[in-house]
Amino acid sequence: MTTPIVTERGRLTALRATWLFDGTGAALIPDPLVVIDGGTIVVVDSGAAAPSGADVIDLGGAALLPGLVDTHVHLAFDASADPVGALAGRDDEQATQAMIRAAQAALRGGVTTVRDLGDRDYLSLGLRGRPGLPTIAAAGPPVTTPAGHCHYLGGVAESTEAGVRAAVREHVERGVDVIKIMASGGTLTPGTYQHLAQFTPELLRAAVDEAHRHGLQVTAHAHAVAAIADGVAAGADGLEHVSFWTEDSVDSPAELIQLIADRRTIVGLTVGLVPVPGMEPPPVVRARLPLIVANMKRLYEAGALMVGGSDAGIGPVKPHDVVRYAPAMLRDIGIGPAEVLRMVTSTAAAVIGLGHRKGRIAPGYDADILAVDGDPIADPDALHRIRAVYARGAAVPEAGRTRPTP
Ligand SMILES: [Zn+2]
């Protein structure tokens, strides 16, 4: 008696469209064919016939591009006017359900990979690998000082070298993908100050050293000039925000900007805003915004390695799919139209350590694909006209339904 051979290979899916942005190129490729086997892209071609037996999905008129990668989100914050209060009112089970809704909203909006840079009590780690959600890389609760920025998320370290090393080690033991450290204060936490560093340079260095000893990257929330400088000096792999915030304005230290570029420290620009009527940034932000944007331009001109992380979740202008709005804003600071797409696809994937699987439409890559109406290089608003989203080969239900129906 013979046992029938059952192959693990399922039916192939072939996507056809009018244009393709592959995540790395400078121009669109016409008449693309993308063949998917399970969760993986196996063929990318132009003008070719689909393999026989494949299920062909014709997205005529659409452009395919890699699913978007957001390097800075907070699934635990619900994008309401008071995300900290809303989270405080949820127990872990309720918070987890809200995080699942946030992640689903991201996916419907074309965001197939997120890096969560601050949850509560490591809740985002349990969401990794779940079908129907984006691919999630997670920092757990940010490492912070006693009563420091986001202390209520559970990542407080004692202010000694042993204390910060222990906090980093706890994160390692819990299995985080990256260490997030709050190098300066932040507006979400009363009693902390964006213009002040939270850690001494020695403690920041100890945290980075401990993370690197365990093979993890560190990215530092850094608004204050001193926090940015200390982060670079400590060897942090990345910096978030990088606003050069001072007590009454914004600084523009040319040498530090050049150092950030020369050291290849990853700059996570906080970009992408959904216009919401009546939701203006607070006056302290509004007054500084033109200066912050000018600094982004200086960083770019200095040759800094930059990506567009959104800080999704922290308010109504930052829903969980808000990174689609980043390319338009990045173009406004003078970055080229294909490069701004790379900053939310291939470059974003590379800086979070997923450059081998994410951010490109190429054989061997995860089948994370966004199909939009129009040319996303010529017109960044095309990113909002979503035809379909595929996450690890699976079509996302209700793709493009990006706002809750009132
Ligand atoms: Zn953040």
Side-chain angles (χ1 to χ4, degrees):
M1 197 182 139
T2 55
T3 311
I5 295 163
V6 180
T7 72
E8 286 195 356
R9 193 185 173 99
R11 259 172 103 91
L12 299 177
T13 301
L15 300 184
R16 307 216 67 111
T18 300
W19 297 104
L20 171 82
F21 171 69
D22 69 0
T24 61
L28 298 180
I29 297 160
D31 194 18
L33 171 77
V34 178
V35 182
I36 299 167
D37 183 356
T40 307
I41 296 166
V42 290
V43 173
V44 180
D45 210 336
S46 170
S52 62
D55 291 323
V56 178
I57 296 169
D58 193 341
L59 294 157
L64 306 179
L65 69 154
L68 304 180
V69 178
D70 193 339
T71 59
H72 186 150
V73 310
H74 299 279
L75 294 173
F77 290 147
D78 64 2
S80 65
D82 179 17
V84 175
L87 178 60
R90 293 183 175 121
D91 64 23
D92 280 1
E93 178 53 31
Q94 291 165 327
T96 300
Q97 291 308 317
M99 291 168 78
I100 289 171
R101 290 194 294 275
Q104 289 168 335
L107 197 52
R108 287 196 303 272
V111 186
T112 51
T113 301
V114 297
R115 182 171 68 170
D116 190 297
L117 287 185
D119 66 7
R120 187 183 76 198
D121 299 334
Y122 300 94
L123 291 176
S124 59
L125 276 62
L127 301 181
R128 294 179 297 191
R130 283 209 195 184
L133 301 186
T135 297
I136 297 169
V143 176
T144 192
T145 51
H149 183 37
C150 289
H151 62 88
Y152 43 80
L153 296 177
V156 171
E158 243 183 76
S159 297
T160 62
E161 183 170 334
V164 297
R165 286 186 185 274
V168 170
R169 273 199 307 278
E170 184 195 311
H171 283 69
V172 171
E173 282 155 19
R174 296 296 289 258
V176 301
D177 300 298
V178 59
I179 297 291
K180 165 82 173 296
I181 188 162
M182 297 304 204
S184 75
T187 49
L188 279 184
T189 311
T192 75
Y193 299 95
Q194 296 212 148
H195 67 280
L196 296 179
Q198 295 205 131
F199 290 91
T200 64
E202 294 73 27
L203 293 187
L204 204 53
R205 192 181 293 272
V208 172
D209 178 65
E210 191 67 27
H212 286 177
R213 271 166 27 90
H214 292 92
L216 287 184
Q217 279 198 1
V218 178
T219 194
H221 162 105
H223 284 288
V225 178
I228 296 168
D230 293 349
V232 175
D237 304 274
L239 300 168
E240 305 300 319
H241 311 305
V242 202
S243 64
F244 302 99
W245 194 280
T246 63
E247 190 164 9
D248 43 25
S249 183
V250 163
D251 199 357
S252 176
E255 277 180 28
L256 180 53
I257 287 171
Q258 194 57 53
L259 184 65
I260 291 167
D262 294 345
R263 292 280 294 264
R264 305 304 284 159
T265 308
I266 301 152
V267 177
L269 298 176
T270 312
V271 285
L273 278 178
V274 175
V276 177
M279 286 301 304
E280 296 243 309
V284 291
V285 175
R286 216 180 319 153
R288 288 172 174 85
L289 210 49
L291 300 168
I292 292 171
V293 170
N295 279 340
M296 291 180 184
K297 200 168 179 150
R298 288 190 187 94
L299 283 159
Y300 177 66
E301 285 166 359
L305 172 55
M306 309 200 302
V307 291
S310 71
D311 226 355
I314 63 161
V317 297
K318 296 279 189 182
H320 285 92
D321 60 343
V322 69
V323 79
R324 284 189 286 116
Y325 291 80
M329 188 170 168
L330 292 165
R331 284 173 72 146
D332 286 345
I333 64 175
I335 305 177
E339 190 171 357
V340 299
L341 291 180
R342 292 195 287 269
M343 288 170 73
V344 293
T345 56
S346 58
T347 309
V351 304
I352 66 171
L354 294 174
H356 57 299
R357 293 174 42 201
K358 302 290 185 184
R360 291 179 59 189
I361 297 183
Y365 276 68
D366 288 358
D368 293 344
I369 295 170
L370 172 58
V372 300
D373 273 322
D375 173 346
I377 294 183
D379 172 18
D381 287 343
L383 295 175
H384 309 314
R385 297 192 291 271
I386 296 172
R387 284 271 294 274
V389 179
Y390 293 85
R392 281 132 31 237
V396 173
E398 300 186 88
R401 187 174 73 74
T402 57
R403 297 285 165 277
T405 30

Short mmCIF file of all heavy atoms in Angstrom, two decimals, residues 118-155:
data_model
loop_
_atom_site.label_atom_id
_atom_site.label_comp_id
_atom_site.label_asym_id
_atom_site.label_seq_id
_atom_site.Cartn_x
_atom_site.Cartn_y
_atom_site.Cartn_z
N GLY A 118 6.16 51.23 22.58
CA GLY A 118 5.71 51.53 23.93
C GLY A 118 4.32 51.02 24.15
O GLY A 118 3.34 51.61 23.69
N ASP A 119 4.23 49.87 24.86
CA ASP A 119 2.92 49.34 25.23
C ASP A 119 2.84 49.39 26.75
O ASP A 119 3.68 50.03 27.40
CB ASP A 119 2.74 47.91 24.70
CG ASP A 119 3.69 46.90 25.36
OD1 ASP A 119 4.41 47.27 26.33
OD2 ASP A 119 3.73 45.75 24.92
N ARG A 120 1.83 48.74 27.31
CA ARG A 120 1.78 48.60 28.75
C ARG A 120 2.00 47.14 29.09
O ARG A 120 1.38 46.26 28.48
CB ARG A 120 0.41 49.05 29.29
CG ARG A 120 0.37 49.09 30.83
CD ARG A 120 -1.01 49.48 31.34
NE ARG A 120 -1.95 48.37 31.24
CZ ARG A 120 -3.27 48.51 31.28
NH1 ARG A 120 -3.80 49.71 31.40
NH2 ARG A 120 -4.06 47.45 31.19
N ASP A 121 2.89 46.90 30.02
CA ASP A 121 3.08 45.55 30.58
C ASP A 121 3.32 44.48 29.51
O ASP A 121 2.85 43.35 29.65
CB ASP A 121 1.87 45.16 31.45
CG ASP A 121 1.70 46.12 32.63
OD1 ASP A 121 2.71 46.72 33.05
OD2 ASP A 121 0.56 46.26 33.12
N TYR A 122 4.00 44.83 28.44
CA TYR A 122 4.42 43.86 27.41
C TYR A 122 3.24 43.26 26.64
O TYR A 122 3.36 42.19 26.03
CB TYR A 122 5.25 42.73 28.03
CG TYR A 122 6.52 43.17 28.71
CD1 TYR A 122 6.53 43.43 30.08
CD2 TYR A 122 7.70 43.34 27.99
CE1 TYR A 122 7.69 43.85 30.72
CE2 TYR A 122 8.86 43.75 28.62
CZ TYR A 122 8.86 44.01 29.98
OH TYR A 122 10.01 44.40 30.60
N LEU A 123 2.08 43.93 26.64
CA LEU A 123 0.90 43.32 26.00
C LEU A 123 1.08 43.11 24.50
O LEU A 123 0.50 42.18 23.93
CB LEU A 123 -0.34 44.18 26.26
CG LEU A 123 -0.83 44.22 27.71
CD1 LEU A 123 -2.01 45.18 27.84
CD2 LEU A 123 -1.23 42.82 28.19
N SER A 124 1.87 43.96 23.83
CA SER A 124 1.98 43.81 22.38
C SER A 124 2.76 42.55 21.99
O SER A 124 2.61 42.05 20.88
CB SER A 124 2.63 45.05 21.75
OG SER A 124 3.91 45.26 22.29
N LEU A 125 3.57 42.04 22.91
CA LEU A 125 4.36 40.84 22.57
C LEU A 125 3.45 39.66 22.26
O LEU A 125 3.75 38.84 21.39
CB LEU A 125 5.33 40.48 23.70
CG LEU A 125 6.67 41.22 23.70
CD1 LEU A 125 6.51 42.71 23.88
CD2 LEU A 125 7.59 40.66 24.77
N GLY A 126 2.32 39.58 22.96
CA GLY A 126 1.39 38.47 22.76
C GLY A 126 0.63 38.56 21.45
O GLY A 126 -0.04 37.60 21.06
N LEU A 127 0.71 39.70 20.78
CA LEU A 127 -0.02 39.85 19.51
C LEU A 127 0.85 39.48 18.31
O LEU A 127 0.36 39.42 17.18
CB LEU A 127 -0.50 41.30 19.36
CG LEU A 127 -1.43 41.82 20.46
CD1 LEU A 127 -1.85 43.25 20.17
CD2 LEU A 127 -2.66 40.92 20.58
N ARG A 128 2.13 39.26 18.55
CA ARG A 128 3.02 38.96 17.43
C ARG A 128 2.64 37.62 16.81
O ARG A 128 2.36 36.66 17.50
CB ARG A 128 4.48 38.91 17.91
CG ARG A 128 4.97 40.27 18.38
CD ARG A 128 6.41 40.21 18.86
NE ARG A 128 6.56 39.34 20.02
CZ ARG A 128 7.66 39.27 20.76
NH1 ARG A 128 8.70 40.03 20.47
NH2 ARG A 128 7.72 38.45 21.79
N GLY A 129 2.63 37.59 15.49
CA GLY A 129 2.40 36.33 14.79
C GLY A 129 0.94 35.96 14.63
O GLY A 129 0.62 34.91 14.07
N ARG A 130 0.02 36.80 15.12
CA ARG A 130 -1.40 36.46 14.98
C ARG A 130 -1.88 36.71 13.56
O ARG A 130 -1.65 37.80 13.01
CB ARG A 130 -2.26 37.32 15.90
CG ARG A 130 -2.21 36.89 17.32
CD ARG A 130 -3.53 37.28 17.98
NE ARG A 130 -3.38 37.21 19.43
CZ ARG A 130 -4.37 37.42 20.27
NH1 ARG A 130 -5.58 37.73 19.82
NH2 ARG A 130 -4.17 37.35 21.56
N PRO A 131 -2.60 35.77 12.97
CA PRO A 131 -3.19 36.02 11.66
C PRO A 131 -4.19 37.16 11.75
O PRO A 131 -4.82 37.36 12.79
CB PRO A 131 -3.91 34.71 11.32
CG PRO A 131 -3.52 33.73 12.36
CD PRO A 131 -2.95 34.46 13.52
N GLY A 132 -4.32 37.91 10.67
CA GLY A 132 -5.30 38.99 10.65
C GLY A 132 -4.77 40.28 11.25
O GLY A 132 -5.51 41.27 11.32
N LEU A 133 -3.51 40.29 11.70
CA LEU A 133 -2.89 41.51 12.22
C LEU A 133 -1.62 41.78 11.41
O LEU A 133 -1.08 40.88 10.77
CB LEU A 133 -2.52 41.35 13.70
CG LEU A 133 -3.64 41.03 14.68
CD1 LEU A 133 -3.10 41.04 16.12
CD2 LEU A 133 -4.79 42.00 14.54
N PRO A 134 -1.15 43.01 11.46
CA PRO A 134 0.15 43.27 10.82
C PRO A 134 1.26 42.46 11.52
O PRO A 134 1.08 42.00 12.63
CB PRO A 134 0.38 44.78 11.07
CG PRO A 134 -0.91 45.33 11.56
CD PRO A 134 -1.69 44.19 12.14
N THR A 135 2.38 42.35 10.86
CA THR A 135 3.57 41.83 11.54
C THR A 135 3.98 42.88 12.57
O THR A 135 4.04 44.07 12.27
CB THR A 135 4.70 41.60 10.52
OG1 THR A 135 4.25 40.61 9.59
CG2 THR A 135 5.98 41.13 11.20
N ILE A 136 4.23 42.43 13.80
CA ILE A 136 4.49 43.36 14.90
C ILE A 136 5.88 43.09 15.48
O ILE A 136 6.21 41.96 15.82
CB ILE A 136 3.43 43.20 16.02
CG1 ILE A 136 2.02 43.56 15.49
CG2 ILE A 136 3.78 44.05 17.24
CD1 ILE A 136 0.88 43.18 16.43
N ALA A 137 6.69 44.14 15.55
CA ALA A 137 7.91 44.11 16.35
C ALA A 137 7.63 44.97 17.57
O ALA A 137 6.96 46.00 17.45
CB ALA A 137 9.09 44.67 15.56
N ALA A 138 8.11 44.56 18.74
CA ALA A 138 7.62 45.22 19.95
C ALA A 138 8.73 45.51 20.95
O ALA A 138 9.62 44.69 21.17
CB ALA A 138 6.55 44.35 20.61
N ALA A 139 8.61 46.69 21.56
CA ALA A 139 9.58 47.12 22.57
C ALA A 139 9.11 46.83 23.99
O ALA A 139 9.90 46.94 24.93
CB ALA A 139 9.85 48.62 22.43
N GLY A 140 7.81 46.51 24.16
CA GLY A 140 7.28 46.44 25.52
C GLY A 140 7.21 47.85 26.11
O GLY A 140 7.26 48.84 25.38
N PRO A 141 7.10 47.96 27.43
CA PRO A 141 7.04 49.30 28.03
C PRO A 141 8.38 50.01 27.88
O PRO A 141 9.42 49.41 28.10
CB PRO A 141 6.71 49.03 29.50
CG PRO A 141 7.09 47.61 29.74
CD PRO A 141 6.99 46.88 28.43
N PRO A 142 8.36 51.31 27.51
CA PRO A 142 9.63 52.01 27.35
C PRO A 142 10.38 52.09 28.67
O PRO A 142 9.77 52.28 29.73
CB PRO A 142 9.20 53.42 26.90
CG PRO A 142 7.79 53.30 26.48
CD PRO A 142 7.20 52.14 27.22
N VAL A 143 11.69 51.96 28.61
CA VAL A 143 12.52 52.12 29.80
C VAL A 143 12.55 53.61 30.13
O VAL A 143 12.86 54.45 29.27
CB VAL A 143 13.95 51.59 29.56
CG1 VAL A 143 14.83 51.85 30.77
CG2 VAL A 143 13.90 50.10 29.23
N THR A 144 12.20 53.95 31.37
CA THR A 144 12.14 55.35 31.76
C THR A 144 12.59 55.53 33.20
O THR A 144 12.91 54.55 33.88
CB THR A 144 10.70 55.90 31.51
OG1 THR A 144 10.70 57.32 31.61
CG2 THR A 144 9.70 55.31 32.48
N THR A 145 12.62 56.78 33.65
CA THR A 145 13.06 57.08 35.02
C THR A 145 11.85 57.05 35.96
O THR A 145 10.71 57.14 35.51
CB THR A 145 13.69 58.48 35.06
OG1 THR A 145 12.80 59.41 34.44
CG2 THR A 145 15.02 58.50 34.30
N PRO A 146 12.08 56.96 37.28
CA PRO A 146 10.96 57.03 38.22
C PRO A 146 10.17 58.32 37.98
O PRO A 146 10.77 59.40 37.93
CB PRO A 146 11.64 57.02 39.60
CG PRO A 146 12.96 56.33 39.36
CD PRO A 146 13.37 56.73 37.96
N ALA A 147 8.87 58.21 37.79
CA ALA A 147 7.97 59.34 37.46
C ALA A 147 8.30 59.99 36.12
O ALA A 147 7.81 61.06 35.80
CB ALA A 147 7.96 60.40 38.57
N GLY A 148 9.15 59.32 35.33
CA GLY A 148 9.56 59.87 34.04
C GLY A 148 8.51 59.67 32.96
O GLY A 148 7.41 59.15 33.21
N HIS A 149 8.87 60.06 31.73
CA HIS A 149 7.94 60.01 30.61
C HIS A 149 7.39 58.60 30.41
O HIS A 149 8.15 57.65 30.25
CB HIS A 149 8.66 60.49 29.34
CG HIS A 149 7.78 60.56 28.13
ND1 HIS A 149 6.46 60.95 28.18
CD2 HIS A 149 8.03 60.29 26.83
CE1 HIS A 149 5.95 60.91 26.96
NE2 HIS A 149 6.87 60.51 26.13
N CYS A 150 6.06 58.49 30.44
CA CYS A 150 5.35 57.21 30.27
C CYS A 150 5.66 56.18 31.36
O CYS A 150 5.57 54.97 31.12
CB CYS A 150 5.60 56.61 28.88
SG CYS A 150 4.78 57.50 27.54
N HIS A 151 5.97 56.67 32.55
CA HIS A 151 6.25 55.76 33.68
C HIS A 151 5.07 54.83 33.94
O HIS A 151 5.24 53.69 34.39
CB HIS A 151 6.56 56.57 34.95
CG HIS A 151 5.43 57.44 35.40
ND1 HIS A 151 4.44 57.00 36.25
CD2 HIS A 151 5.08 58.71 35.06
CE1 HIS A 151 3.55 57.97 36.43
NE2 HIS A 151 3.92 59.01 35.72
N TYR A 152 3.84 55.30 33.64
CA TYR A 152 2.63 54.52 33.92
C TYR A 152 2.50 53.29 33.01
O TYR A 152 1.59 52.49 33.17
CB TYR A 152 1.38 55.42 33.77
CG TYR A 152 1.45 56.31 32.56
CD1 TYR A 152 1.16 55.84 31.30
CD2 TYR A 152 1.90 57.64 32.69
CE1 TYR A 152 1.27 56.65 30.18
CE2 TYR A 152 2.01 58.45 31.57
CZ TYR A 152 1.70 57.95 30.32
OH TYR A 152 1.82 58.75 29.22
N LEU A 153 3.40 53.15 32.05
CA LEU A 153 3.33 51.97 31.19
C LEU A 153 4.08 50.78 31.79
O LEU A 153 3.96 49.65 31.31
CB LEU A 153 3.89 52.29 29.79
CG LEU A 153 3.07 53.34 29.02
CD1 LEU A 153 3.74 53.66 27.68
CD2 LEU A 153 1.64 52.88 28.79
N GLY A 154 4.87 51.04 32.83
CA GLY A 154 5.46 49.91 33.57
C GLY A 154 6.93 49.66 33.31
O GLY A 154 7.45 48.62 33.70
N GLY A 155 7.63 50.61 32.69
CA GLY A 155 9.04 50.37 32.35
C GLY A 155 10.03 51.18 33.17
O GLY A 155 11.12 51.49 32.68
#
